[in-house]
């Protein structure tokens, strides 16, 4: 098919969009107003702002943005096609959908067949409306009299929707297309009337009865889309089922758009939360570095103060201006003080503490103060001294003492601690 083209300069198109609204200019060029906006953006053609034409119509002053100059010569002329200007495929026009309702329910859809038996066996409420079973049944709330018609309508609607590529779920009744769906119900309207209109009372007694008029409804937000299709004075529901199916497509598009927006917002939140986590970790790391730095500075200052004091103390002692209260212990204390200053200083390599650590008391295992159960359990242990016993691990106790190993190991650890052994690495937890 040949496509008619209209050559335009940027100046000519600029004059057009500032002379008439773009909704009127676009059809003359074979474009939609969105497509024309894309052309203007591509060729840097300014457009009238929102409210421009309303202000102009009321005689108010408006400002016209000048057309900027472009250096590229190839942008001086625009080829505007009357059809298919954009590379995107045009939105196809949806054909009118016709839904035919059979006079008799023959070869019903499986959902309709299973619901029919359940609805026929169901009880009716005080208004004569069938109480819809809570599960495995289509959402049909009508009287027994209207049930055959309602089943035929639902059967036609389900088959038409599946023919459109959709799916129908029974519990709850949901018409879906891909990941998106909407709940649907078919009900019968109920009329209210006063029992005794001529009787003078402070209150009124009302009665309700089914009218025989059916209503097909889509439940949900719908963003302004049509939700109900009803029997009217002239209109019958069977004649507008095609409109119902067409609108269902719009509902699916709306639901899809909402779902994609929700997914987009969820991705944004995940990304933002990830960024917040990174920022928090960086902040905590920075605070930790600052804390460590200030701690090192304080330790260094403290060590310097101690060293200065010790230097002053030694000079004073050399001059014999003061005498230690305990001359015998003073040399050991002075050595310890120098060691402590070096130990807390972050700029000095730590060295062993000058005082010797007291050695644990090595005893014979047979002479240990143990409970009778522990002595009995350890009578076959090969270890003779506590030095040897201190090297027996918890796993080894488990192998030797079976289920009683935990209490025995804990008691031995307590005894070893009392003898001066380092038990900091011996876990006394059951596991």
């Amino acid at each position: 098919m040949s496509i008619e083209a209209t050559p335009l300069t940027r100046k000519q198109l600029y004059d057009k969009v500032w002379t008439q609204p773009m909704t009127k200019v676009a059809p003359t060029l074979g474009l939609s107003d969105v497509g024309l906006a894309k052309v203007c953006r591509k060729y840097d053609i300014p457009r009238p702002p929102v409210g421009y034409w309303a202000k102009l119509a009321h005689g108010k002053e408006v400002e016209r943005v000048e057309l900027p100059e472009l250096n590229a010569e190839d942008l001086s002329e625009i080829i505007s096609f009357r059809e298919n200007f954009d590379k995107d495929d045009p939105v196809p026009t949806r054909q009118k959908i016709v839904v035919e309702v059979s006079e008799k329910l023959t070869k019903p859809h499986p959902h309709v067949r299973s619901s029919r038996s359940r609805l026929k066996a169901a009880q009716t409420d005080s208004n004569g409306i069938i109480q819809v079973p809570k599960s495995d049944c289509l959402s049909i709330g009508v009287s027994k009299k209207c049930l055959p018609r309602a089943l035929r309508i639902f059967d036609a609607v389900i088959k038409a929707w599946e023919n459109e590529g959709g799916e129908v779920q029974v519990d709850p009744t949901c018409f879906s297309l891909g990941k998106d769906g909407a709940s649907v119900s078919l009900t019968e309207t109920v009329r209210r009337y006063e029992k005794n209109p001529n009787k003078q009372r402070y209150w009124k007694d009302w009665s309700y009865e089914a009218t025989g008029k059916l209503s097909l409804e889509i439940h949900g937000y719908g963003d302004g889309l049509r939700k109900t299709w009803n029997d009217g004075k002239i209109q019958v529901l069977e004649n507008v089922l095609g409109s119902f199916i067409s609108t269902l497509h719009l509902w699916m598009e709306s639901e899809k758009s909402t779902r994609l927006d929700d997914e987009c917002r969820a991705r944004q939140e995940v990304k933002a939360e990830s960024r917040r986590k990174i920022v928090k970790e960086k902040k905590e790391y920075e605070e930790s570095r600052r804390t460590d730095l200030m701690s090192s500075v304080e330790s260094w200052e403290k060590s310097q103060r101690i060293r200065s004091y010790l230097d002053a103390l030694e000079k004073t002692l050399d001059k014999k201006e003061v005498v230690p209260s305990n001359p015998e212990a003073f040399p050991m204390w002075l050595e310890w003080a120098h060691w402590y200053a070096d130990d807390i200083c972050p700029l000095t390599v730590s060295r062993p503490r000058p005082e010797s650590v007291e050695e644990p008391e090595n005893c014979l295992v047979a002479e240990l103060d143990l409970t009778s159960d522990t002595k009995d359990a350890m009578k076959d242990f090969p270890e003779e001294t506590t030095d040897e016993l201190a090297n027996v691990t918890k796993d080894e106790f488990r192998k030797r003492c079976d289920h009683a190993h935990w209490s025995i190991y804990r008691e031995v650890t307590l005894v070893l601690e009392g003898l001066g052994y380092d038990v900091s690495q011996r876990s006394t937890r059951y596991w």
Side-chain angles (χ1 to χ4, degrees), residues 78-345:
I78 303 172
I79 303 299
S80 175
F81 292 101
R82 292 193 179 278
E83 294 184 18
N84 198 22
F85 175 87
D86 297 316
K87 294 182 179 180
D88 300 333
D89 293 334
V91 178
T93 303
R94 193 180 299 280
Q95 295 181 352
K96 184 177 181 180
I97 300 174
V98 178
V99 180
E100 296 183 359
V101 181
S102 59
E103 296 182 359
K104 292 184 179 181
L105 189 61
T106 57
K107 296 182 179 180
H109 190 277
H111 293 339
V112 176
R113 186 187 304 112
S114 61
S115 298
R116 176 175 58 180
S117 58
R118 295 178 64 83
L119 290 169
K120 283 184 176 181
Q123 300 294 323
T124 58
D125 59 18
S126 58
N127 303 328
I129 302 299
I130 298 173
Q131 296 179 343
V132 182
K134 294 183 178 180
S135 61
D136 299 329
C137 185
L138 293 170
S139 182
I140 300 177
V142 299
S143 61
K144 293 282 188 179
K145 181 179 179 181
C146 290
L147 180 58
R149 181 189 171 204
L151 291 170
R152 287 187 283 110
I153 290 175
F154 235 123
D155 183 67
V157 168
I158 292 175
K159 291 177 179 177
W161 182 244
E162 290 184 345
N163 190 50
E164 292 289 313
E167 296 179 355
V168 178
Q169 178 182 333
V170 176
D171 185 22
T173 304
C174 178
F175 284 60
S176 61
L177 189 64
K179 297 181 180 180
D180 310 291
S183 298
V184 175
S185 67
L186 180 61
T187 58
E188 182 177 350
T189 57
V190 176
R191 183 177 70 89
R192 185 184 74 167
Y193 64 93
E194 191 176 354
K195 286 185 178 180
N196 301 304
N198 298 326
K199 200 168 185 179
Q200 298 296 328
R201 290 181 178 177
Y202 291 108
W203 69 92
K204 294 182 180 180
D205 289 334
W206 300 99
S207 291
Y208 301 85
E209 65 176 2
T211 62
K213 295 183 181 294
L214 302 185
S215 176
L216 188 61
E217 182 176 0
I218 303 175
H219 302 276
Y221 174 60
D223 196 18
L225 295 172
R226 184 177 179 181
K227 295 184 178 182
T228 58
W229 289 259
N230 308 308
D231 282 329
K233 293 182 179 179
I234 300 176
Q235 173 182 282
V236 291
L237 186 57
E238 286 84 344
N239 294 339
V240 292
L241 297 181
S243 170
F244 168 78
I245 296 296
S246 298
T247 306
L248 258 183
H249 279 287
L250 299 179
W251 271 77
M252 296 303 113
E253 293 172 4
S254 176
E255 292 294 320
K256 181 179 180 179
S257 177
T258 301
R259 174 176 57 82
L260 293 178
D261 287 345
D262 290 342
E263 292 174 356
C264 178
R265 280 187 284 269
R267 290 193 300 270
Q268 293 169 352
E269 180 60 32
V270 169
K271 193 171 183 179
E273 179 61 29
S274 176
R275 177 56 57 182
R276 285 194 291 267
K277 184 178 180 181
I278 293 174
V279 171
K280 181 180 178 182
E281 290 175 350
K282 287 185 176 179
K283 183 179 179 181
E284 291 176 349
Y285 176 64
E286 179 65 19
E287 291 178 352
S288 175
R289 290 203 302 179
R290 294 182 182 184
T291 302
D292 292 343
L293 174 61
M294 294 310 300
S295 177
S296 297
V297 171
E298 292 171 1
S299 297
W300 178 79
E301 290 177 343
K302 187 176 180 180
S303 67
Q304 293 296 97
R305 287 163 50 206
I306 294 174
R307 287 165 179 162
S308 297
Y309 168 76
L310 294 177
D311 289 344
L313 177 61
E314 289 177 341
K315 289 178 181 179
T316 303
L317 291 172
D318 290 342
K319 294 178 181 179
K320 298 183 179 181
E321 295 177 359
V322 294
V323 178
S325 59
N326 188 350
E328 294 181 358
F330 179 76
M332 185 177 294
W333 177 88
L334 186 61
E335 184 182 2
W336 169 85
H338 280 291
W339 167 84
Y340 178 66
D342 293 342
D343 187 62
I344 64 174
C345 179

